[in-house]
Amino acid sequence: MKVVLVLPPLAWPFSPYLGLPTLAAYLRGLGHRVTQFDANLRLFDRVFSRAGLEQLRLAAQDRFRQLESRPALTPLEQEEYLDLVELLSVLPRYLARIEAVKAAFKDIDRYRLRPDGTVALEGDWFDYKTIRHLVFPDETNPLRLPVVSLERFRAAVEGRPPLPYQPFLEELAGEIAALGPDLVGFSLTFGEQAIPGLVLARLVKDRLPHVHLVMGGFYFSAVRDGLERILPSLGFVDSVVLGEGEAPLASLAAALERGGSLDQVPGLVRVERGAVRGNPPPPPLDLDELPCPDFEGLPLQSYFAARPVLPYATARGCYWGRCAFCSFCLVSQRFRVRSPGLVARDLARLARAYGALFYLAQEAEPPRRMEAIAQALLSEGAPVRYQLFARFEKTFTARTAEYLRRSGCLYVFFGLEAGSERVNRLMRKGVDLQEAKRIVADCAAAGLNVVVSSIRGFPTETREE
C-alpha cells in the first residue's frame, strides 16, 4: 500500500519531528511504500522568502480593503483587522532581509538563535519569533480559544475567515494529492497544528475524496475527551488514532488493502451513523522490537539549521509523571525503555549516515540509565553529539556528568520550574533546590552546558517567589 505521512503546520522548522520517521520505519518494515511529507517545513520555506512574503502582503492587503469597506465588523473580524494592521506595518521591513536571514540559519559561523527567538545577522538581530507570530497568528491555536467557541473552531477549519497563508496550503494539498496515495496520515503534536492541519486535511480530501484520511499524534490523544463534540463536524476526517500509532496504522493499512472491516483496528476512532465509536487500544509495544527511526526521504539539509539535528526517543512515558502542570499526564503511558545497546547502535548508525546532532526527545531519563546509555555509546565508538532532558535527582552525580560529557553529550536540559520550595511542592516537582545547585555545579565542572527552565506565574506564586 502507498502511504503518505504528513506533518502539518505549525511547528518549529529547525528539525524533523519524530512521529513521521517512527511510523515510516514501522510501515516500511511491513512492506508498505511510505512517503514522508513535511508540510510544516515546506510552508515555512515558501512563506519565509521574498516571493512568499510579497504574496502574503498582497493577500493581506486585499483582505484589509474588504474589511475596511464594511460598515461594521463582528468581534472576530475586529481581531482580524488589528492583526492585518500590524502585519502590513512590519512586512515591508522584513521583505528586504528575509533571504539573508534564511541564509544565516544555515551558516554555522553566523547562526545564533537566542531564547527570545531572535537570530544573529551580521551584527544585527532579526526578530524571528515576532514575524512568525504575525504571519502565523495565535488564532491558529485552538487551545487559546475560549472553551465555548466550538463554532468558532469549526468556522476556522472551514476557512471562515481564510487563514492568511491559505494559498500556500492549497499548493501543498495539490502536491500531496499528486503523490497518488492509498492512505494519508496526519501527525499532530501541538495545538498550533490543529487548525492549519485540519484545513490542509480538508483540502487534501477535496482532491482525494475516495482515499482514507486518518489523523493521529499527541494532540488528538490529549483532546480525546472533546472528540465526541468535534469529530462529527469534521466530515473529511475518516478516522483518528489515539495513543501510539504503529500498530493501529499498520492494522488500518492492512484492513483497507483487503477491503475488510475497521472494527478490529486497535485505537481507531471514527463516526458511524452519526455517533463517535472507538475501538479498544492496542497493548503497549516492546520498544526493543521497534526499528530505528527512518529519516529517508526527508529534506534534512533544508531545515532552518546549520547542521541536521535529529530527534530520538530512548524511552516512552515519564518515569516521574507527577508534575501538576504537565500535559503529558493527559496521555498517560507506562514508562518503557529501549535497551542502552540498541540506543547506542541506532544513534551511531544515524550519526554515520547523516552527520547529525541529536536531541533525545523523551521527557526525562533516570540518571542510572543515562550512565548506561553513555557507556554503551563509548563502547560503540561513534562520534555521537547529543542533548537530553533530565530531572534534578540525588542520584545524578559528578560521575553521571562525566560519563555524559565523555559520550558526546553537549547540553543537559533540566526542569527546575520554581526557585521557591513552596511553589516547587505545589508543582509536585520533587526537587531539592540545594541538590539542584550541586548538580548544576557538577555539570559545569564536567564541561557540560546546562539549560534550566522555569515557569512564572504558577497559581498563588508571589512576585518575591
Side-chain angles (χ1 to χ4, degrees):
M1 172 166 279
K2 190 171 185 179
V3 182
V4 173
L5 300 176
V6 180
L7 177 78
L10 297 164
W12 291 106
F14 304 119
S15 69
Y17 284 79
L18 193 52
L20 266 58
T22 299
L23 294 171
Y26 193 84
L27 293 175
R28 285 169 176 166
L30 296 173
H32 297 289
R33 292 169 293 154
V34 180
T35 299
Q36 302 184 70
F37 191 95
D38 193 333
N40 177 66
L41 174 63
R42 295 183 189 220
L43 179 70
F44 269 93
D45 197 43
R46 292 177 197 188
V47 172
F48 284 93
S49 66
R50 187 169 179 81
L53 289 182
E54 178 61 22
Q55 184 176 339
L56 184 72
R57 185 187 69 80
L58 293 174
Q61 204 168 58
D62 287 345
R63 180 62 178 166
F64 180 79
R65 287 171 181 154
Q66 291 175 18
L67 296 178
E68 277 273 274
S69 66
R70 297 181 183 176
L73 299 178
T74 66
L76 183 57
E77 288 171 337
Q78 291 174 24
E79 291 181 25
E80 184 188 2
Y81 181 90
L82 293 175
D83 285 340
L84 288 169
V85 169
E86 189 172 8
L87 180 61
L88 289 168
S89 71
V90 301
L91 275 179
R93 178 158 54 98
Y94 290 121
L95 267 166
R97 306 173 63 202
I98 192 65
E99 297 296 349
V101 169
K102 285 178 69 176
F105 273 109
K106 297 178 184 298
D107 186 339
I108 201 163
D109 294 324
R110 300 164 68 205
Y111 176 82
R112 300 288 187 278
L113 181 65
R114 301 199 305 189
D116 63 358
T118 54
V119 179
L121 179 61
E122 296 173 349
D124 196 1
W125 290 98
F126 176 83
D127 193 349
Y128 173 80
K129 186 176 286 186
T130 295
I131 188 64
R132 176 188 184 270
H133 285 299
L134 285 173
V135 174
F136 306 127
D138 288 347
E139 189 64 36
T140 62
N141 183 358
L143 298 181
R144 295 196 179 103
L145 300 180
V147 175
V148 296
S149 63
L150 181 58
E151 289 306 316
R152 190 168 166 185
F153 177 81
R154 289 171 175 161
V157 171
E158 292 167 6
R160 299 182 284 114
L163 295 171
Y165 44 90
Q166 179 88 8
F168 299 96
L169 294 181
E170 297 271 0
E171 291 177 11
L172 294 172
E175 292 169 18
I176 293 169
L179 295 170
D182 303 306
L183 171 64
V184 178
F186 277 66
S187 177
L188 282 73
T189 300
F190 309 111
E192 287 87 347
Q193 292 176 282
I195 289 176
L198 287 167
V199 169
L200 179 59
R202 175 174 59 81
L203 296 173
V204 169
K205 192 67 172 179
D206 287 344
R207 291 159 173 77
L208 300 171
H210 304 300
V211 171
H212 193 100
L213 192 148
V214 58
M215 313 288 283
F218 179 85
Y219 172 74
F220 281 99
S221 295
V223 300
R224 66 178 71 203
D225 292 342
L227 283 181
E228 287 194 12
R229 292 194 306 147
I230 297 172
L231 199 55
S233 65
L234 304 177
F236 54 89
V237 176
D238 294 303
S239 61
V240 172
V241 167
L242 300 180
E244 294 178 332
E246 290 96 338
L249 198 55
S251 178
L252 175 62
L256 293 172
E257 205 163 29
R258 66 174 181 265
S261 168
L262 303 184
D263 292 347
Q264 302 305 312
V265 176
L268 198 71
V269 178
R270 62 196 190 281
V271 178
E272 281 191 351
R273 294 184 288 276
V276 175
R277 174 182 175 180
N279 297 342
L285 295 166
D286 181 341
L287 301 193
D288 279 355
E289 294 180 1
L290 295 180
C292 175
D294 189 346
F295 295 89
E296 190 64 34
L298 287 170
L300 298 183
Q301 303 302 324
S302 297
Y303 288 91
F304 287 33
R307 181 176 173 182
V309 180
L310 302 183
Y312 181 90
T314 67
R316 293 187 184 179
C318 178
Y319 76 92
W320 178 253
R322 304 173 207 171
C323 298
F325 53 82
C326 187
S327 62
F328 205 79
C329 64
L330 299 173
V331 188
S332 59
Q333 294 181 337
R334 178 173 58 83
F335 184 62
R336 289 163 293 146
V337 301
R338 189 165 173 86
S339 298
L342 289 177
V343 169
R345 191 184 314 164
D346 289 347
L347 292 176
R349 171 185 162 194
L350 293 170
R352 292 187 183 106
Y354 301 112
L357 303 175
F358 298 92
Y359 67 93
L360 305 189
Q362 67 282 351
E363 296 300 298
E365 197 75 78
R368 290 290 179 260
R369 202 173 126 75
M370 291 183 208
E371 293 183 14
I373 291 172
Q375 289 174 321
L377 284 169
L378 289 168
S379 298
E380 194 69 32
V384 175
R385 299 292 178 266
Y386 65 97
Q387 71 172 46
L388 55 75
F389 297 87
R391 283 178 41 78
F392 286 116
E393 302 273 15
K394 290 182 179 180
T395 51
F396 192 113
T397 64
R399 184 186 67 179
T400 310
E402 182 63 24
Y403 269 132
L404 292 177
R405 184 196 61 76
R406 287 175 52 210
S407 68
C409 183
L410 301 174
Y411 282 86
V412 183
F413 191 107
F414 290 100
L416 179 65
E417 318 312 0
S420 155
E421 294 279 8
R422 185 188 73 85
V423 177
N424 213 277
R425 284 195 300 271
L426 286 176
M427 291 179 169
R428 302 202 294 271
K429 284 293 297 180
V431 171
D432 182 311
L433 297 182
Q434 294 306 311
E435 281 293 321
K437 292 179 182 178
R438 189 267 304 165
I439 292 168
V440 169
D442 285 345
C443 288
L448 292 170
N449 294 289
V450 176
V451 179
V452 178
S453 68
S454 64
I455 296 175
R456 290 178 294 177
F458 193 79
T460 79
E461 185 177 39
T462 65
R463 182 177 294 275
E464 291 74 20
E465 287 173 318

